[in-house]
Amino acid sequence: MTEKKRIQAILDILDKYYEKDVKCYLDHENPLQLLIATILSAQCTDDRVNIVTKDLFAKYKSAQDFAMANLKELEQDVKSTGFYKNKAKNIKTCATTIYEQYGGEVPQDLDALTELAGVGRKTANVVRGNIFKIPSVVVDTHVKRISIRWGITLCTDPVAIEMDLMKKLPKEHWIRYNTQVIAHGRAICTARAPKCMDCMFLALCPYGLSKRMDDLTEEAKEALEKGHMY
Ligand code: SF4
């Protein structure tokens, strides 16, 4: 099987088992809210962020509100997401730029987004893909781990992984690859104990196949013998 066909087979299985409609795991009602929720999600679970933003977005409704916020108070508002001093400072500075330079509207341009305080390529791509539907590859911890296990990339640097994925994945998969891979990473291909023997990608996954052959099911062994596996 060629590399291109193997990747397409992986994408077909993703589409078969996971939602094709992009589902953002961070609750939001507008671009600013998603931008701030994504800044808060660094080193924090989406569930925790969603608890915090419920009150946060009720209190601060616009870029101007965040720009005018009392920093100490904002720190307390986001404290439970961790690294709260940096996050609060970045949110206030970022919102000030959006308010003063962009009339309160989150910009779509990648360079403009990544120039905002606290906004790297990952955050920028989350907003561009989810909000503006601009084809973008978001490399988070699940995408990084699983893309390496699948052998789609050999890189470990997130920007290099993003470039690799943009080269190898058809553009129409760029946005949903992230949300589908997150779902797979949470359900089956977890960081510490991937359930390879129960995984629908096993036949296409170098990492899974490199695990002990003894652990393979009879069905998988038979498929391997017939040359159906990578
Ligand atoms: S076979 Fe294992 S490593 Fe490969 S995708 Fe499935 S769970 Fe992850």
Side-chain angles (χ1 to χ4, degrees), residues 10 145-146 148-150 184-185 187-190 193-209 211:
I10 287 172
R145 178 180 74 255
I146 295 173
I148 290 171
R149 285 177 177 174
W150 281 340
H184 184 58
I188 296 176
C189 191
T190 56
K195 303 179 186 79
C196 298
M197 299 313 135
D198 299 324
C199 178
M200 57 289 224
F201 293 98
L202 180 59
L204 300 158
C205 178
Y207 180 94
L209 290 175
K211 295 182 80 171

Side-chain angles (χ1 to χ4, degrees), residues 22-37:
V22 176
K23 175 181 177 265
C24 184
Y25 296 99
L26 294 169
D27 296 341
H28 66 279
E29 288 178 356
N30 57 50
L32 181 72
Q33 289 186 355
L34 181 57
L35 185 69
I36 288 169

Side-chain angles (χ1 to χ4, degrees), residues 47-87:
D47 287 345
R48 167 54 50 191
V49 172
N50 289 336
I51 290 169
V52 168
T53 54
K54 195 166 179 245
D55 293 335
L56 190 73
F57 295 153
K59 184 171 176 181
Y60 307 94
K61 297 187 188 304
S62 66
Q64 185 180 10
D65 288 349
F66 280 106
M68 303 297 178
N70 175 288
L71 186 57
K72 290 286 167 206
E73 200 175 322
L74 187 56
E75 284 175 3
Q76 293 309 308
D77 291 333
V78 302
K79 190 168 184 177
S80 66
T81 66
F83 303 97
Y84 64 99
K85 286 185 187 257
N86 262 343
K87 287 180 181 177

Side-chain angles (χ1 to χ4, degrees), residues 171-183:
K171 218 170 195 174
E172 64 269 24
H173 284 267
W174 286 7
I175 300 177
R176 69 179 183 268
Y177 182 78
N178 171 265
T179 52
Q180 290 174 326
V181 170
I182 289 175

